[in-house]
Amino acid sequence: MNGYDESDLRRAAAAGIQAPSMHNTQPWAFRLRDGAIEVTADPTRRLTVADQSGWAMRLALGAATFNARLALAWGGTPADVLLLPDPAESGLAARLTPGKKRPPTYAERDLYAAIERRHSNRQPFWPDPVPAGARVRLIEAARAEHAWLDLLVGMTALTGFSEIAHSADRVLRRDGRYQAELISWTGTESATDGMPAFAGAAVGESHDLIPQRAFTERRRAPGRDYEPEPLVGILGTAGDRRLDQLQAGQALQRVLLTVTDAGLACSMISQPIEVPAARDQLRRSLGRTGFPQIALRIGYGHPGRRSPRRPVEETLG
């Protein structure tokens, strides 16, 4: 095969747009160039207050790249991926060129099938523990994409994380510009981007272990408290360069799709990463080298609804 074509581009983009992004900004575009599919940033969709460094955008672009990889593998022509292929074009995140044709593996089929089912679940989970086998799968999923996933064990570790997360959340809640930006991306149910009310968590309570963003003013029903001992994972990378953050995005998406394939639910916790002092405190609390890139809450939950996505046509460059 000489190169990918328009049908490959549409397949890759249709999968790519299902990736997660902070506040569901969907900061990506996809294009065909010289037989390769390229994933590029859409700078108009970058959060100028919450994401001044571009970290969240690069996580989203990495996640979209991983979905595109799965779509191309499912189509029988897996991609060779080069991240940041052109130093002269800072917005170009990844270039996918055709590799050797082969049938998709069972794992690729399963993860590709999970793309349509994956969504963030910010509601309370059931108290059932996540089995050891599933935990191992998640750790291996992160490792396969050159990242690490530390699962917090015991209430001491959870309480420490809770204190860091709540401290970071208080910092962000006191920032008027940050809150105004968040509100601007809190969309209606008819929007094709942003956070609809149905996807947000109910208003947090003082005894909640993990803070929730104020995407809605809905109160939760009596007896619907959050699980007292959630499974929290910290996903990180050895470095913290732009390349590392794109790799973290790919690892994040592999973990999220593995979560979905295992019948689990997940929500992301980014406040401790957004506040530099909290991120440094979290890094030191883990007692390992490397840089935390996102935190995850994992468990069993009631099925929810996916946040909206823009039409594929709007993302093609």
Side-chain angles (χ1 to χ4, degrees), residues 86-146:
D86 186 352
E89 189 175 353
S90 61
L92 178 55
R95 178 176 293 137
L96 287 70
T97 55
K100 185 178 180 181
K101 282 182 171 292
R102 61 163 175 78
T105 65
Y106 289 121
E108 288 167 341
R109 288 179 183 272
D110 290 343
L111 293 181
Y112 180 70
I115 290 175
E116 287 290 324
R117 307 196 311 272
R118 186 216 66 82
H119 64 274
S120 293
N121 189 331
R122 300 174 182 85
Q123 304 307 313
F125 292 163
W126 305 330
D128 308 59
V130 176
R135 297 179 186 224
V136 170
R137 284 186 64 191
L138 301 181
I139 292 169
E140 290 177 343
R143 188 177 298 139
E145 298 298 325
H146 311 291

Side-chain angles (χ1 to χ4, degrees), residues 227-251:
E227 59 279 14
E229 193 169 345
L231 177 61
V232 172
I234 314 298
L235 185 142
T237 48
D240 196 33
R241 303 164 300 168
R242 294 163 58 218
L243 178 66
D244 297 302
Q245 292 165 2
L246 288 168
Q247 288 179 327
Q250 293 193 93

Side-chain angles (χ1 to χ4, degrees), residues 6 39 62-63 82 94 142 145 148 180 246 264 274 276 285-286 297:
E6 289 289 339
V39 183
L82 184 60
E145 298 298 325
W148 45 263
L246 288 168
L264 296 162
E274 296 174 58
S285 75
L286 295 173
R297 168 180 154 262

